[in-house]
């Protein structure tokens, strides 16, 4: 069985996006970007909801070809393109870059994907992750907490109807006052 993780940058008050889907507050330092790259390289399949897919696919497919791209951004872009992805959406008509589009029931499809053998899976996008949370499918949570308050927006734990029982795995400080905290789901 494959492990399913959910990890995002999070504001101190628990949001992954500020009002208006603003992500500008979470611009990573080079050290933090390197940390994210190492995390992503360990993933065998990315699962995206529509909004996060649109954000990622509008930037990463060609970032490695830009003259101002850092070596970490180049590696991240290549890893992003090469890693298989599944996008869950009923409104997108076409996807590229080693990606499959599905309109199937998200919980059923994630359950099927988890049941197989292979490298870990990462779910991204608040709405898609919330469906996986409610179904008890997420094995590990990674919160990369930035020392900023955004005052509203999209919460990390979106539309969760009850408690998530977690065991602390580790905490790790990163430059700029950023703290990485990883939890495993207590079953």
């Amino acid at each position: 069985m494959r492990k399913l993780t959910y990890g995002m940058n999070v504001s101190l008050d628990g949001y992954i996006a500020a009002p208006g889907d603003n992500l500008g507050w979470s611009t990573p330092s080079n050290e933090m970007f390197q940390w994210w790259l190492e995390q992503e390289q360990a993933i065998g399949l990315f699962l995206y909801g529509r909004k996060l897919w649109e954000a990622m696919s509008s930037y990463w497919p060609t970032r490695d070809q830009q003259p101002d791209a850092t070596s970490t951004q180049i590696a991240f872009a290549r890893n992003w393109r090469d890693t298989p992805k599944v996008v869950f959406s009923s409104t997108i008509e076409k996807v590229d870059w080693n990606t499959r589009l599905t309109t199937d029931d998200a919980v059923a499809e994630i359950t099927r994907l988890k049941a197989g053998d292979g490298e870990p899976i990462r779910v991204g996008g608040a709405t898609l992750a919330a469906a996986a949370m409610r179904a008890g499918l997420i094995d590990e949570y990674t919160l990369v907490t930035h020392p900023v308050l955004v005052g509203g927006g999209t919460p990390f734990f979106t539309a969760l109807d009850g408690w998530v029982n977690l065991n602390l795995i580790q905490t790790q400080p990163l430059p700029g006052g950023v703290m990485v905290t990883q939890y495993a789901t207590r079953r």
Side-chain angles (χ1 to χ4, degrees):
M1 178 170 278
R2 299 170 84 173
K3 178 171 71 171
L4 180 64
T5 66
Y6 173 43
M8 297 285 289
N9 291 316
V10 181
S11 67
L12 198 55
D13 51 352
Y15 296 95
I16 60 174
D21 293 328
N22 181 342
L23 300 173
W25 58 270
S26 64
T27 303
S29 66
N30 288 332
E31 294 86 357
M32 191 175 86
F33 201 84
Q34 179 64 41
W35 183 88
W36 268 120
L37 171 62
E38 291 167 7
Q39 299 300 303
E40 298 295 275
Q41 288 173 329
I43 301 298
L45 177 65
F46 296 124
L47 308 179
Y48 290 118
R50 179 190 54 83
K51 283 184 182 180
L52 187 56
W53 166 255
E54 288 174 342
M56 298 294 282
S57 66
S58 70
Y59 189 79
W60 289 111
T62 60
R63 181 64 186 144
D64 60 328
Q65 300 162 22
Q66 304 305 312
D68 65 336
T70 67
S71 60
T72 306
Q73 290 172 334
I74 291 169
F76 192 96
R78 291 175 181 166
N79 182 72
W80 185 85
R81 278 195 315 264
D82 292 346
T83 303
K85 295 167 279 299
V86 177
V87 174
F88 294 82
S89 176
S90 60
T91 59
I92 295 175
E93 294 183 14
K94 182 182 177 217
V95 293
D96 291 314
W97 309 291
N98 202 15
T99 305
R100 175 174 63 88
L101 179 65
T102 184
T103 59
D104 294 340
D105 175 77
V107 170
E109 181 64 6
I110 295 169
T111 300
R112 186 188 72 74
L113 292 167
K114 269 192 73 167
D117 292 328
E119 297 172 303
I121 303 168
R122 182 177 311 277
V123 61
T127 303
L128 182 60
M133 280 184 223
R134 283 191 300 274
L137 296 173
I138 298 178
D139 300 300
E140 191 172 297
Y141 295 83
T142 302
L143 288 78
V144 179
T145 307
H146 294 249
V148 62
L149 299 171
V150 299
T154 305
F156 182 87
F157 290 104
T158 300
L160 195 57
D161 299 329
W163 291 93
V164 177
N165 292 315
L166 302 174
N167 288 325
L168 179 65
I169 297 173
Q170 72 172 356
T171 59
Q172 172 187 359
L174 293 176
V178 175
M179 179 63 72
V180 176
T181 311
Q182 291 178 293
Y183 299 93
T185 303
R186 188 181 310 152
R187 303 210 190 268

